[in-house]
Amino acid sequence: NFKSIDSLEVTGLPPFTVFAGPNGSGKSNFFDALDFVSLFIRNGLETALRAHGGFSNIHSEKHREKNSREFDFEIEYDTPEKMPGSGENIALPHHYILGIQDLEDVPKIEEELHTGNVLIYSRKKGESPKFAGKYDYFEKPTDHSPPILGKHQYIDQFIATYSSLLLSPNIAFTKLLSNINLYRIDPIGAKQPSQSDYDPTKLDRSGHNLASVLGRMEANSDMRETILDWMEMIAPGIEKIETQQQALDGRTALVFKEQGTGRPFPAHMISDGTIYALCLLVAVLDSTSNYGMTLIEEPERGLHPKAIREIIDLMRQQASPENPIWLTTHSESVVRALKLDELVLVDKVDGRTRMKRANSGNLTHKDLAPLGLDEAWLSNLFGSGLPW
């Protein structure tokens, strides 16, 4: 029950996944729903609702009125975990269920978290979370670990509009869901010098603090060389990228140097596509230090098809179970660069978003030959609607 999503289930998603479909099919709504959940887990329900324009801006018009004030989310995810003592890595299954009712009035939250097929927390409508058993799976106790309670004890004085996952902030699953980063890059804004008070710790969703983030990253020589190597591949002729502190206002500015030029020039003289590619590189390369998900809208904007292939290769290499990278697109150049199991087809039927994995019909690349994946998509051979 989120915008065009009335009811939707998609399974078996690999760490690198691309959601392809026409404009208005609901790709962005799907990413917004994930962002809504992440904001709720990080900062509470009021923050999540405010960031997405309030109840009137998110609920599904296709739901009957009695159900229109509800939001439901469920995820099953196997996170790689290192077991205490042995140090052995295992894929630990997590199953989280979230229900938020009466969104328009006084919201009431229901939650369940199962880990390793054991119920850890449960929370009935409008009540405090209930701890269901000893919590000794994941890591050595820290000051931030949840309390070790007897079975079926309630957690008193818990804020009603916050997620019970905050009681286990150090487990990989909580980190994954609370660290979902959604990017809708604005290359024109990204060219501007960053204000001196911009947070350099993470690229914001529009890329407007690009200079500040690069200023931090270029202190790492390996990272600096990696970014330059990829930029030279994507935008041939780029010889140097660096940041400079402006004398008058203290802002951090980007400067570039191309082969054959005598001195660096400011970012406003570089193409939108080049800045866009740089933002994508920073978003992807700077997201692998911890658990989290990277969601990027339309990575193809302003890029040559060859540059798109290079970007897709980079994202595929960087994606992992700890750090999935998911994209939306309506570009055949992106689809052409994919493997069959990486593609999810998105369509809207009677105003409702629908999704279908490209390999769900047991098709293989051999079955599609001599067509490429993009040609099969454009010809609607997957039966998921035309991509326009």
Side-chain angles (χ1 to χ4, degrees):
N1 184 21
F2 194 95
K3 299 185 179 180
S4 64
I5 300 171
D6 66 332
S7 180
L8 177 68
E9 180 179 2
V10 57
T11 61
L13 297 172
F16 179 66
T17 299
V18 177
F19 299 84
N23 289 325
S25 58
K27 305 183 299 296
S28 295
N29 293 344
F30 178 60
F31 276 14
D32 278 339
L34 294 174
D35 183 63
F36 177 80
V37 170
S38 186
L39 284 170
F40 160 65
I41 292 170
R42 260 196 330 266
N43 299 315
L45 183 57
E46 290 96 338
T47 298
L49 278 170
R50 189 165 54 249
H52 286 273
F55 167 78
S56 62
N57 206 41
I58 67 170
H59 77 283
S60 172
E61 296 287 351
K62 295 297 179 180
H63 263 300
R64 294 181 178 177
E65 186 176 352
K66 68 175 183 178
N67 298 322
S68 68
R69 292 181 294 275
E70 300 177 8
F71 171 79
D72 294 295
F73 174 79
E74 187 170 350
I75 183 170
E76 295 182 15
Y77 201 98
D78 292 347
T79 56
E81 302 272 3
K82 186 169 287 186
M83 300 303 287
S86 68
E88 178 186 1
N89 282 313
I90 65 166
L92 196 61
H94 297 270
H95 184 189
Y96 174 64
I97 303 170
L98 168 66
I100 307 175
Q101 300 186 31
D102 300 328
L103 263 172
E104 196 177 16
D105 188 16
V106 180
K108 299 176 179 62
I109 296 168
E110 296 181 307
E111 288 179 291
E112 283 186 15
L113 174 64
H114 300 258
T115 299
N117 299 317
V118 174
L119 178 65
I120 303 298
Y121 298 118
S122 66
R123 183 180 188 180
K124 294 184 178 179
K125 180 179 176 180
E127 296 182 356
S128 294
K130 185 169 65 175
F131 192 72
K134 188 177 180 181
Y135 198 91
D136 58 3
Y137 278 82
F138 306 100
E139 50 190 62
K140 295 177 181 178
T142 70
D143 291 341
H144 301 291
S145 297
I148 304 300
L149 303 173
K151 288 188 176 183
H152 310 301
Q153 289 192 20
Y154 286 93
I155 299 175
D156 294 330
Q157 298 179 333
F158 192 84
I159 302 174
T161 55
Y162 277 71
S163 169
S164 61
L165 288 181
L166 290 176
L167 295 165
S168 51
N170 294 319
I171 67 171
F173 182 72
T174 300
K175 292 177 181 178
L176 182 87
L177 285 185
S178 61
N179 193 28
I180 294 177
N181 299 304
L182 172 58
Y183 294 102
R184 294 182 174 120
I185 303 299
D186 166 27
I188 296 176
K191 292 181 183 182
Q192 303 303 314
S194 293
Q195 300 289 344
S196 57
D197 59 349
Y198 265 15
D199 179 10
T201 57
K202 185 176 70 173
L203 189 69
D204 69 32
R205 65 178 59 205
S206 62
H208 287 190
N209 65 336
L210 175 62
S212 292
V213 176
L214 267 179
R216 168 180 59 81
M217 294 175 70
E218 68 182 1
N220 182 321
S221 58
D222 290 339
M223 184 66 75
R224 184 173 64 245
E225 290 302 316
T226 298
I227 290 174
L228 187 57
D229 287 346
W230 277 99
M231 284 301 295
E232 288 174 342
M233 199 178 310
I234 294 166
I238 294 291
E239 190 176 85
K240 193 173 185 180
I241 305 170
E242 61 183 10
T243 59
Q244 292 180 353
Q245 205 77 15
Q246 297 189 152
L248 290 178
D249 56 15
R251 293 191 296 175
T252 304
L254 281 172
V255 293
F256 295 80
K257 187 177 184 303
E258 290 184 339
Q259 295 171 4
T261 60
R263 61 180 183 177
F265 54 88
H268 72 263
M269 296 178 64
I270 205 79
S271 74
D272 290 355
T274 300
I275 289 291
Y276 197 84
L278 183 57
C279 285
L280 294 178
L281 286 174
V282 168
V284 171
L285 293 172
D286 200 34
S287 66
T288 56
S289 60
N290 206 336
Y291 286 89
M293 298 178 69
T294 300
L295 311 177
I296 300 175
E297 295 257 32
E298 300 178 14
E300 68 272 7
R301 290 175 55 192
L303 296 179
H304 188 275
K306 185 180 184 302
I308 291 172
R309 286 198 300 272
E310 300 295 348
I311 287 282
I312 294 298
D313 283 343
L314 168 68
M315 292 179 176
R316 183 182 290 121
Q317 292 172 28
Q318 294 296 123
S320 68
E322 297 92 340
N323 290 98
I325 298 174
W326 292 357
L327 317 175
T328 65
T329 189
H330 43 69
S331 166
E332 61 263 38
S333 296
V334 172
V335 174
R336 188 182 307 129
L338 302 179
K339 300 174 183 177
L340 192 64
D341 65 338
E342 297 170 341
L343 176 61
V344 175
L345 306 155
V346 186
D347 194 19
K348 187 182 282 185
V349 180
D350 296 329
R352 296 175 170 89
T353 295
R354 297 289 178 259
M355 294 186 181
K356 175 183 178 182
R357 293 188 61 196
N359 64 351
S360 61
N362 297 318
L363 287 173
T364 66
H365 280 283
K366 185 177 180 181
D367 296 326
L368 298 175
L371 295 178
L373 200 55
D374 57 322
E375 294 171 303
W377 178 54
L378 292 170
S379 302
N380 197 24
L381 292 184
F382 299 109
S384 58
L386 293 170
W388 58 79

